């Protein structure tokens, strides 16, 4: 087997650089795709398996729950044992769990397999960005992050289209089975062409207790939000909510006292890092709610097929494919404040335009006048915000904490989507059978979209008031080349020449 290039020296335009980008995008897109591709399949899954809305919410959220709860532990494992090694393990795990999803005989098995998928995603997702940071020359890291963010965003946005094509064709089970050939391509390329790296400063015991507390806290709150419409303020629902909040408080207390915490409180001393993660939470909560509800709205209310609903959202994908890399470069030149303010506002406008989608939107004129303007404006907002958001998170912390910063930001994004999918139906008054009734779902959709837009406006205001350009590298005692040339942090690496 040919040896991989040395870490920290690969250029984006080289064959080695293209292979690294391909590998990391394939891996992260598997995880991102399955967080969105499922949405257009939900009505068909519900009809096939005889489930209510709560089961469909769990089909989405079981995956998000384990992903959000364990992603920091996954990043720590990569820093300790090798980012490429843990990334590859995650890809294989994810593929096996996807197979289980594809053959699930009932909703219970599907939900359990989705939770296993989230474990694999927690291993591969932080590793993908850490490999980008570790592999490329400092001068090329901003462009590489922009490509990774852009194509990764495309993986998320193309999900509804691919899912719709599969649902209307071979069936919804192929939404999951599609991951098997992607993994079969990703793993050998990673082993052959991606250099191994780790953080030589990583030491101590893994914070398994912290990971368990975080996952259980999210599970308690999520259960309460999903079950409340059907059960009301029952002892079980109230107990789950209170238990989740108590476990969250215990998690914070444990992390403050541990010598090697999964979530070191000291990292939030960076005002920029804290602010950008709050912006991330607002943006991805809105997006999680939007994609969950819009895919159902287009099918149940507007009368689109699953493929039609996915195709209707395709302009968002095209915009991100064409412009995300340039957006990363623009954010480096002008600073993060303007992109992180303007992007969410544009996306909020797109979500409000979705309020015009109704029973006549499936006609060519209805699509051009009602759906297309909404998805184009939404896509423009995502182009502006996604790449600068990722780069700013990494630039806000010390170089040695790049992997941790990536994990925290991913966890914030996944937890945001998890809570939004659980909470929006409750807040909008959506009943257990709402997705079967066009009139009821349309009414609740009209209440939910302004809530999603409001989250984006809150993120934009937060960015405007709190986000500033990262401090120069010299002021933080870091190597200046990365901060000057690419605007993102460069983790200290330990090359492993024998693993190629």
């Amino acid at each position: 087997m040919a040896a991989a290039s040395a870490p920290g020296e690969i250029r984006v335009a080289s064959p080695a650089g293209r292979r690294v980008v391909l590998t990391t995008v394939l891996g992260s897109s598997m995880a991102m795709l399955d967080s969105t591709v499922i949405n257009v399949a939900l009505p068909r899954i519900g009809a096939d398996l005889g489930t209510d809305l709560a089961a469909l919410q769990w089909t989405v959220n079981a995956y998000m729950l384990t992903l959000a709860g364990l992603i920091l532990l996954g990043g720590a494992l990569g820093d300790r044992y090798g980012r490429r090694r843990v990334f590859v393990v995650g890809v294989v795990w994810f593929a096996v769990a996807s197979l289980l999803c594809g053959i699930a005989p009932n909703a219970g098995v599907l939900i359990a397999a989705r939770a296993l998928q989230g474990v694999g995603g927690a291993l591969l997702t932080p590793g993908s960005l850490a490999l980008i940071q570790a592999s490329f020359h400092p001068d090329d890291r901003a462009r590489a992050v922009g490509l990774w963010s852009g194509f990764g965003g495309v993986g998320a946005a193309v999900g509804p289209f691919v899912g719709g094509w599969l649902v209307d064709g071979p069936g919804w089970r192929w939404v999951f089975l599609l991951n098997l050939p992607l993994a079969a391509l990703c793993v050998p390329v990673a082993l052959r062409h991606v250099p191994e790296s780790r953080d030589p400063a990583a030491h101590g015991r893994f914070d398994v207790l912290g990971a368990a507390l975080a996952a259980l806290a999210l599970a308690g709150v999520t259960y309460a939000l999903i079950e409340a419409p059907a059960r009301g303020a029952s002892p079980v629902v109230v107990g789950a909510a209170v238990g989740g909040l108590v476990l969250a408080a215990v998690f914070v207390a444990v992390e403050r006292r541990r010598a090697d915490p999964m979530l070191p409180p000291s990292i939030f001393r960076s005002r920029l890092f804290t602010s950008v993660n709050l912006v991330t939470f607002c943006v991805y909560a809105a997006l999680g709610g939007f994609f969950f509800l819009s895919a159902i709205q287009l099918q149940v209310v507007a009368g689109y097929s699953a493929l039609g609903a996915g195709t209707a959202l395709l302009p968002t994908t095209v915009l991100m494919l064409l412009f995300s890399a340039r957006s990363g470069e623009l954010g480096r030149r002008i600073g993060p404040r303007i992109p992180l303010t303007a992007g969410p506002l544009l996306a909020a406008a797109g979500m409000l335009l979705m309020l015009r989608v109704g029973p006549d939107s499936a006609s060519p004129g209805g699509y051009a006048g009602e759906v297309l303007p909404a998805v184009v404006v939404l896509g423009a907002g995502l182009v502006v915000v996604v790449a600068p958001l990722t780069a700013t998170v990494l630039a806000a912390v010390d170089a040695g904490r790049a992997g941790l910063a990536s994990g925290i930001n991913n966890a914030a994004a996944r937890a945001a989507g998890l809570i939004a999918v659980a909470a929006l139906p409750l807040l909008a008054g959506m009943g257990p059978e709402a997705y079967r009734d066009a009139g009821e779902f349309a009414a609740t959709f009209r209440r939910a979209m302004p809530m999603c837009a409001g989250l984006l406006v809150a993120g934009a205001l937060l960015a405007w008031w709190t986000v500033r350009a990262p401090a120069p590298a010299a002021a933080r005692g870091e190597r200046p080349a990365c901060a000057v040339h690419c605007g993102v942090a460069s983790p200290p690496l330990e090359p492993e020449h024998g693993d190629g």
Side-chain angles (χ1 to χ4, degrees):
M1 181 179 294
S5 303
E9 298 298 331
I10 298 176
R11 308 307 295 245
V12 169
S14 68
R18 289 192 290 269
R19 294 186 189 106
V20 172
V21 171
L22 170 66
T23 303
T24 55
V25 166
L26 277 176
S28 61
S29 291
M30 286 173 58
M32 185 68 74
L33 193 65
D34 264 44
S35 67
T36 58
V37 72
I38 190 68
N39 291 330
V40 294
L42 291 175
R44 197 69 58 85
I45 291 173
D48 190 17
L49 301 182
T51 63
D52 60 9
L53 181 64
L56 298 185
Q57 288 173 277
W58 277 117
T59 301
V60 175
N61 276 353
Y63 172 78
M64 302 296 285
L65 177 62
T66 51
L67 177 60
L70 300 176
I71 199 167
L72 292 179
L73 184 61
L77 288 170
D79 287 343
R80 174 82 65 84
Y81 294 118
R83 291 154 181 150
R84 184 186 66 183
R85 182 178 292 113
V86 172
F87 173 82
V88 169
V89 170
V91 171
V92 174
W93 183 304
F94 196 92
V96 173
S98 297
L99 176 62
L100 295 176
C101 290
I103 62 175
N106 54 56
V109 174
L110 176 60
I111 290 168
R114 286 282 285 169
L116 289 176
Q117 266 193 321
V119 177
L123 295 175
L124 70 89
T125 300
S128 63
L129 183 54
L131 286 173
I132 288 283
Q133 286 292 102
S135 300
F136 284 96
H137 189 279
D139 290 351
D140 279 9
R141 283 184 189 135
R143 186 180 176 197
V145 169
L147 288 170
W148 178 87
S149 298
F151 285 108
V154 166
V158 80
F161 172 75
V162 174
W165 177 71
L166 292 171
V167 169
D168 286 343
W172 64 264
R173 296 181 185 277
W174 284 92
V175 166
F176 303 106
L177 298 177
L178 176 65
N179 290 319
L180 301 182
L182 293 178
L185 175 62
C186 181
V187 169
V189 176
L191 293 175
R192 183 178 180 86
H193 297 292
V194 177
E196 182 62 286
S197 65
R198 59 166 53 95
D199 181 2
H203 59 82
R205 294 183 299 175
F206 292 109
D207 187 9
V208 178
L209 176 60
L213 287 171
L216 290 173
L218 285 172
V221 173
T222 301
Y223 179 86
L225 291 171
I226 290 177
E227 296 299 325
R231 296 174 179 261
S234 66
V236 174
V237 170
V238 174
V242 173
L245 295 174
V246 169
L247 287 172
V250 173
F251 169 74
V252 173
V254 167
E255 297 303 282
R256 294 182 67 179
R257 288 172 172 79
R258 288 185 67 93
D260 295 292
M262 179 181 73
L263 183 63
S266 60
I267 197 170
F268 292 101
R269 292 173 186 166
S270 167
R271 179 182 175 184
L272 178 61
F273 181 79
T274 302
S275 297
V276 174
N277 275 286
L278 290 173
V279 174
T280 297
F281 189 91
C282 292
V283 168
Y284 281 89
L287 291 178
F290 172 83
F291 284 112
F292 176 70
L293 297 176
S294 292
I296 301 176
Q297 171 81 355
L298 288 171
Q299 293 177 74
V300 173
V301 177
Y304 283 78
S305 65
L307 176 59
T311 305
L313 301 172
L314 191 58
T316 301
T317 302
V318 175
L319 287 171
M320 295 190 71
L321 178 63
L322 293 176
F323 300 113
S324 282
R326 297 180 185 178
S327 174
E329 291 287 346
L330 177 64
R332 180 185 67 84
R333 290 199 303 268
I334 68 174
R337 187 186 187 196
I338 292 176
L340 299 191
T341 301
L345 291 176
L346 274 174
M351 290 185 183
L352 291 177
L353 288 173
M354 281 294 291
L355 292 172
R356 301 190 299 165
V357 174
D360 298 327
S361 297
S363 66
Y367 176 76
E370 297 170 5
V371 181
L372 183 61
V375 296
V376 167
V377 174
L378 173 64
L382 296 182
V383 165
V384 173
V385 73
V386 169
L389 192 67
T390 303
T392 306
V393 163
L394 294 174
V397 299
D398 294 340
R401 289 184 159 186
L404 175 64
S406 170
I408 291 173
N409 191 244
N410 271 284
R414 309 308 164 226
L418 169 74
I419 293 173
V421 170
L424 273 175
L426 173 63
L427 296 175
M430 203 171 288
E433 302 297 322
Y435 79 98
R436 303 181 191 274
D437 185 292
E440 181 182 352
F441 193 88
T444 54
F445 182 82
R446 286 193 294 270
R447 292 194 289 269
M449 280 302 100
M451 298 178 190
C452 293
L455 284 168
L456 287 167
V457 172
L461 293 174
L462 182 64
W464 179 256
W465 288 109
T466 65
V467 172
R468 298 294 184 270
R476 298 200 309 256
E478 301 171 18
R479 290 175 295 175
C482 183
V484 171
H485 294 293
C486 70
V488 294
S490 169
L493 307 171
E494 180 181 342
E496 296 185 357
H497 303 293
D499 286 353

